[in-house]
Amino acid sequence: MSAAKYDLSISCGEDHSFTLRVLDAYDDPIDFSGSTFKAEIREEHKKPLVAAFTVSDIGDGTLKFELTNEQTKLISPTRNYKWDFFWTQSGVTTKLLYGGVSSVSNISNV
């Protein structure tokens, strides 16, 4: 399975979430039972962690990715970020998603 490119646009200071439904080659939902997940945002040319998503299996092959408003405040509109998502099941780790991250600043002070 090849990783898919998925760029994110995140509003600074707001809660951010999205869902992903993963199907196998027969269009059946993946069973994520017993799986672990890792999805992180880092500056493009640096390694320090900026934010880590909470990833939850919500059933029927669907995962929910979440960042809190405190986490999104750390993503500066003036910097370049990348993110990726790894799934581990039965000792096998697979990269499912990767991409760029842009931050949208707000006019209101939230």
Side-chain angles (χ1 to χ4, degrees):
M1 181 182 311
S2 296
K5 185 171 191 231
Y6 186 71
D7 294 329
L8 301 174
S9 179
I10 297 173
S11 292
C12 186
E14 294 181 27
D15 292 331
H16 180 83
S17 68
F18 66 94
T19 58
L20 170 71
R21 188 158 189 241
V22 184
L23 305 175
D24 66 16
Y26 303 102
D27 287 335
D28 293 323
I30 297 288
D31 179 6
F32 288 111
S33 300
S35 297
T36 59
F37 310 102
K38 186 178 231 178
E40 298 178 338
I41 298 172
R42 296 177 187 271
E43 266 192 79
E44 187 170 12
H45 298 292
K46 297 182 181 179
K47 281 297 183 179
L49 179 66
V50 175
F53 286 89
T54 299
V55 182
S56 306
D57 176 7
I58 59 175
D60 197 32
T62 304
L63 302 173
K64 184 172 185 177
F65 295 73
E66 297 176 280
L67 293 173
T68 67
N69 63 340
E70 291 299 318
Q71 289 174 297
T72 65
K73 286 179 187 176
L74 302 174
I75 305 169
S76 170
T78 62
R79 301 215 173 149
N80 294 317
Y81 300 95
K82 299 283 185 190
W83 84 290
D84 54 21
F85 167 57
F86 289 88
W87 162 42
T88 301
Q89 186 175 49
S90 301
V92 177
T93 300
T94 306
K95 182 193 258 187
L96 292 181
L97 295 173
Y98 72 95
V101 178
S102 61
S103 177
V104 179
S105 59
N106 293 318
I107 301 304
S108 298
N109 186 10
V110 290

